[in-house]
Amino acid sequence: MTNYNLALKNTYNNLKNTLPVLFGTILLIAFVISVVPADLYSKFFTGNSIIDSFLGALFGSAAAGNPINSYIIGSELLEQKVSLVAVIAFIISWVTVGIVQFPAEALLLGKKFAIVRNLFSFISAIVISILTVLILRFL
Amino acid sequence: MIKKMIVKIGFGRVFLILVLSLYLLTFIFSRSLFFESVLRSKNVLGDIILVLILVFVLTFFANLWFTNKKTDKILKGRANFVGYISAVFLGILSTGPIYMWYPLLSELKEEGLDTSLIAIFLYNRAVKIPLMPMIMFYFGLPFLLVSTFFMIIFSILNGYFVAKFT
């Protein structure tokens, strides 16, 4: 199989796997936003940078899948007045921390490696979200 | 039953079917909620459709130019500055699901590849060029630049700590 055909096949597989989840996510978010009152989110997210980024990172770590979904969810959370720091921590931990793939990572790359890497990625998501918000304030 | 369905048709489709079933129930019990949700979904889709096409075009080119054989060649035996920078770029350019890379990285680790390079590579998989139009669309260019910068810096710190504690 030529490189061109292989790339086409991989992209097709990517599309095939991503689109159902993407459409499902968009539909589910639209539904949840229609049902859940907007002020409910403020009960989870307090406005405190450290607590909000911790919660954002926690939710992001538990999630998995194409990062596109995290952007859509993140933008909707921003519209619901969830703080930017929480949304950034959520988006970053979505792609850097892998609770779902942890067993595979631990099996193939070592348990200690997987624990340290994911733990540090979790802390990084919190620190990066706070730093990003601080820098964006000056831009 | 759901587990069987996931094995048969994949998680994505099962998830979509479940959400569509929820919409069907909503249509029966609350038309107004159904139409409100459909309208919201339509607006989001309308906003992102062009960016989504661009994302898949860029994904195609990433798949075309980047294979895991190239990673093997570049990373092997390098735990110095060049190795760190290579791991950063290879992580950014790599495609496909993360678990697809575990067997190769596991093999390289067995052959003596420094764990810091593996950690840097895995962390930088979070920085995806094909998805940048999407990030810009939702959060703007300043956010994209600042968060990408920090993610690259923290990927190297991640590599350092992983190597130190493992």
Side-chain angles (χ1 to χ4, degrees), chain B residues 30-131:
Chain B
S30 172
R31 294 272 160 100
S32 62
L33 178 61
F34 172 82
F35 286 114
E36 191 187 334
S37 305
V38 169
L39 189 68
R40 275 185 202 274
S41 306
K42 193 190 126 233
N43 290 342
V44 173
L45 260 178
D47 285 343
I48 65 166
I49 196 78
L50 286 176
V51 189
L52 207 58
I53 292 168
L54 182 64
V55 165
F56 284 109
V57 170
L58 291 173
T59 304
F60 166 75
F61 285 109
N63 280 324
L64 185 64
W65 291 323
F66 193 75
T67 59
N68 54 6
K69 270 185 189 166
K70 284 183 186 166
T71 316
D72 190 354
K73 261 188 202 169
I74 297 167
L75 279 185
K76 238 177 191 174
R78 285 182 172 169
N80 49 29
F81 180 74
V82 179
Y84 290 157
I85 299 300
S86 305
V88 167
F89 280 103
L90 290 171
I92 292 172
L93 294 171
S94 65
T95 56
I98 193 164
Y99 49 81
M100 191 185 90
W101 292 90
Y102 290 153
L104 169 76
L105 294 172
S106 169
E107 196 186 305
L108 288 173
K109 193 181 169 213
E110 291 292 313
E111 288 173 20
L113 180 71
D114 198 277
T115 49
S116 62
L117 295 179
I118 299 174
I120 294 171
F121 174 84
L122 289 175
Y123 200 98
N124 278 288
R125 287 187 37 79
V127 182
K128 286 279 143 280
I129 293 170
L131 298 183

Side-chain angles (χ1 to χ4, degrees), chain A residues 11 15 21-23 25 27 30-31 33-34 68 71 75 88 91 95 101 105 108-109 112 120-121 124 128, chain B residues 12 23 26 37 40-41 45 52 56 60 63 98 102 106 109 123 126 134-135 138-139 143 158 161 165:
Chain A
T11 310
L15 195 78
V21 183
L22 185 72
F23 289 138
T25 304
L27 287 166
F31 180 81
I33 287 170
S34 303
I68 294 173
Y71 309 146
S75 77
I88 297 173
I91 291 168
V95 280
Q101 58 263 27
E105 185 175 341
L108 287 162
L109 296 170
K112 208 172 176 188
F120 186 79
S121 297
S124 301
I128 293 172
Chain B
Y23 268 71
T26 312
S37 305
R40 275 185 202 274
S41 306
L45 260 178
L52 207 58
F56 284 109
F60 166 75
N63 280 324
I98 193 164
Y102 290 153
S106 169
K109 193 181 169 213
Y123 200 98
M134 198 85 168
I135 302 173
Y138 276 120
F139 307 104
F143 169 81
N158 192 329
F161 283 110
F165 293 111

